[in-house]
Amino acid sequence: DTGVSQNPRHKITKRGQNVTFRCDPISEHNRLYWYRQTLGQGPEFLTYFQNEAQLEKSRLLSDRFSAERPKGSFSTLEIQRTEQGDSAMYLCASSSRTGSSYEQYFGPGTRLTVT
Amino acid sequence: GQNIDQPTEMTATEGAIVQINCTYQTSGFNGLFWYQQHAGEAPTFLSYNVLDGLEEKGRFSSFLSRSKGYSYLLLKELQMKDSASYLCAVRVRSGGYNKLIFGAGTRLAVHP
């Protein structure tokens, strides 16, 4: 399968713990995005990478959140000292500079539950 | 600020036609996307408009009027599997980069 993959698919953690999610984009895509989605809402942009460079971070991304894409391939999103408000679906998407629309392809998401 | 509005819920009958509207107020407009999202799954790309007019793709069509800040998604010959959320997303250019801003989605229920 050559789509975007994310691991784990589900994560339950206790408040105050750290969690890390991984995203593997489509192999030829140089652009990678992280979003957060809560029930009944659309995805909210968190951060964007072009190759290994993190080019934009949303103000939603507090200092407890950090993302990396060390070799311009897979990416990780870490949340430190989790809070109950962090419970959400975390979506990763990738795109390339081909075609006219540069549409983003989404992975299946990691559902985080903070208890 | 950036704002995208779409109805929260709609219902329709199998075989019918439904139109889902989206209005937006954004700066740096650089295209509008529609995505479909089934419950618990990832959004999947449906359509893209950057110029005014209608784009048709099988049973799905999308329309854009940039001057009015308005788009709609038209679904024809509805099937039960079309029950899903439909997300309107505007691509905006900011700081030299593009990013997507999503509406809250319209939950469509198709009934027999």
Side-chain angles (χ1 to χ4, degrees), chain A residues 9 31 33 35 37 40-45 48 50 55-56 58 89 91 100-109 111, chain B residues 8 33 35 37 39-45 48 50 57 87 91 93-95 97-105 107:
Chain A
R9 294 293 307 277
R31 298 168 183 213
Y33 310 80
Y35 293 86
Q37 186 175 25
Q41 299 298 314
E44 293 177 292
F45 170 81
Y48 159 58
Q50 186 166 315
L55 297 183
E56 187 167 356
S58 164
M89 176 75 86
L91 292 164
S100 60
S101 63
Y102 313 153
E103 68 262 25
Q104 295 181 20
Y105 294 83
F106 284 82
R111 182 168 295 283
Chain B
T8 303
F33 293 78
Y35 280 83
Q37 186 175 29
E41 297 183 11
T44 55
F45 169 76
Y48 167 71
V50 67
K57 250 177 141 179
L87 300 164
R91 183 168 64 198
R93 190 153 183 90
S94 170
Y97 314 110
N98 289 315
K99 66 179 181 184
L100 284 181
I101 300 173
F102 283 86
R107 194 161 57 246

Side-chain angles (χ1 to χ4, degrees), chain A residues 63-90:
Chain A
D63 56 4
R64 296 185 298 107
F65 288 71
S66 62
E68 294 182 344
R69 193 181 184 199
K71 296 181 181 178
S73 56
F74 73 92
S75 175
T76 58
L77 178 69
E78 181 182 16
I79 308 174
Q80 296 182 327
R81 305 182 302 281
T82 51
E83 301 173 356
Q84 288 187 319
D86 297 331
S87 296
M89 176 75 86
Y90 290 84

Side-chain angles (χ1 to χ4, degrees), chain B residues 2-24:
Chain B
Q2 317 275 30
N3 192 50
I4 298 173
D5 289 313
Q6 48 182 133
T8 303
E9 293 185 349
M10 298 183 72
T11 59
T13 305
E14 192 176 15
I17 300 172
V18 70
Q19 178 174 313
I20 303 174
N21 295 323
C22 171
T23 58
Y24 62 90

Side-chain angles (χ1 to χ4, degrees), chain B:
Chain B
Q2 317 275 30
N3 192 50
I4 298 173
D5 289 313
Q6 48 182 133
T8 303
E9 293 185 349
M10 298 183 72
T11 59
T13 305
E14 192 176 15
I17 300 172
V18 70
Q19 178 174 313
I20 303 174
N21 295 323
C22 171
T23 58
Y24 62 90
Q25 299 90 37
T26 62
S27 56
F29 177 86
N30 195 21
L32 187 143
F33 293 78
W34 284 94
Y35 280 83
Q36 181 191 59
Q37 186 175 29
H38 285 98
E41 297 183 11
T44 55
F45 169 76
L46 288 179
S47 71
Y48 167 71
N49 295 71
V50 67
L51 299 176
D52 290 352
L54 188 69
E55 294 284 339
E56 297 188 77
K57 250 177 141 179
R59 294 190 300 116
F60 294 76
S61 303
S62 57
F63 172 83
L64 175 67
S65 169
R66 289 172 296 169
S67 62
K68 296 182 179 177
Y70 168 68
S71 173
Y72 68 72
L73 179 70
L74 194 70
L75 293 78
K76 303 176 187 174
E77 302 168 12
L78 281 172
Q79 301 175 9
M80 298 297 289
K81 67 178 182 179
D82 297 329
S83 293
S85 283
Y86 291 85
L87 300 164
C88 173
V90 175
R91 183 168 64 198
V92 298
R93 190 153 183 90
S94 170
Y97 314 110
N98 289 315
K99 66 179 181 184
L100 284 181
I101 300 173
F102 283 86
T106 298
R107 194 161 57 246
L108 174 66
V110 179
H111 298 290

